[in-house]
Amino acid sequence: SLLFVDLDHFKEVNDTLGHNAGDLLLQTIGPRLQAIVREDSIARLGGDEFGLIVRDPAAAETVAERIHETLLKPFKVEDLSIPVRASIGIAVYPRDATSTDTLLQRADLAMYQAKAAHSRHTFYTAGSDHSSREHLELAAQLPAAIAEQQLVVYYQPQVDLSTGSCRGVEALVRWQHPEHGLLGPDRFIAMAEQTGLMHELTASVLEQ
């Protein structure tokens, strides 16, 4: 099995503490992951992404849980204790792919599905390529959707039960997509977080 590990909200560490602190954090994550699998079975794939090979496919889920456990033990960075969370995608050879590139791609797809579902780890499933392609298309369209005011806001009343009067409203954002119709926040909020668009999305909602 190939485990594709992506750190959640790592950009916040770089933005808040600086890239040097982010690099120090990555350097301390590596040895913890190496303690779980053999040294020749792990690689940093780039940025905040790591790949791990688990030679026994039946042990993949157990290894994924061990990764989560070891990352949640706080890391010391500039006198701060920082727990790290990760999203993990798992692809199995030869069931999911027989080539290195395809196996890596499908583990990557599974990771994005785990991140979107707020699940700690997800196995690649046949047919998820189509949904991932749609996800990529929506991610590419989201900046223009915000700029062109395709995001609309619905208001849910907050009622004082003792008087029956409306004391306020909750603003609920939706995406009025020109092709797919009205999309709920589960289709694009996590996407906005992953692509660094939450500031623009939030500003659009507040303006409305």
Side-chain angles (χ1 to χ4, degrees):
S1 290
L2 175 63
L3 278 63
F4 195 107
V5 182
D6 182 87
L7 306 183
D8 295 337
H9 308 298
F10 182 74
K11 183 176 182 295
E12 295 176 7
V13 176
N14 280 335
D15 291 347
T16 304
L17 302 178
H19 288 275
N20 184 57
D23 288 342
L24 291 174
L25 177 59
L26 290 172
Q27 291 170 23
T28 56
I29 286 173
R32 286 204 195 177
L33 296 179
Q34 282 183 345
I36 297 174
V37 295
R38 288 167 39 175
E39 187 172 347
D40 65 347
S41 300
I42 179 173
R44 182 179 171 198
L45 303 176
D48 58 349
E49 299 170 340
F50 294 84
L52 290 86
I53 296 173
V54 178
R55 286 169 168 75
D56 178 8
E61 192 161 19
T62 300
V63 172
E65 288 295 339
R66 289 180 62 192
I67 292 172
H68 289 297
E69 290 172 6
T70 194
L71 292 181
L72 282 175
K73 297 174 184 176
F75 294 82
K76 283 286 187 180
V77 179
E78 295 188 356
D79 298 326
L80 293 176
S81 293
I82 302 176
V84 175
R85 289 175 172 79
S87 299
I88 301 176
I90 306 171
V92 180
Y93 171 92
R95 184 191 69 193
D96 299 327
T98 56
S99 72
T100 303
D101 289 343
T102 305
L103 193 69
L104 185 61
Q105 178 192 32
R106 289 182 171 171
D108 190 12
L109 288 176
M111 181 276 295
Y112 275 107
Q113 289 181 325
K115 196 177 288 286
H118 301 288
S119 174
R120 300 204 296 185
H121 59 269
T122 297
F123 282 86
Y124 171 83
T125 55
S128 60
D129 300 77
H130 175 73
S131 61
S132 296
R133 182 180 297 275
E134 182 179 283
H135 177 87
L136 289 174
E137 291 174 351
L138 290 176
Q141 295 165 356
L142 186 56
I146 296 173
E148 296 170 7
Q149 299 183 331
Q150 293 178 16
L151 299 185
V152 296
V153 180
Y154 286 75
Y155 302 99
Q156 179 168 285
Q158 296 176 328
V159 177
D160 186 336
L161 294 180
S162 63
T163 64
S165 62
C166 179
R167 302 296 299 270
V169 294
E170 180 181 7
L172 307 172
V173 65
R174 303 288 185 266
W175 181 356
Q176 188 63 60
H177 195 282
E179 297 177 17
H180 302 294
L182 195 65
L183 303 180
D186 59 306
R187 298 289 299 278
F188 61 92
I189 292 296
M191 183 189 302
E193 293 173 343
Q194 295 164 17
T195 55
L197 288 171
M198 278 304 296
H199 177 81
E200 290 84 352
L201 188 151
T202 302
S204 175
V205 171
L206 289 175
E207 183 178 359
Q208 292 187 57

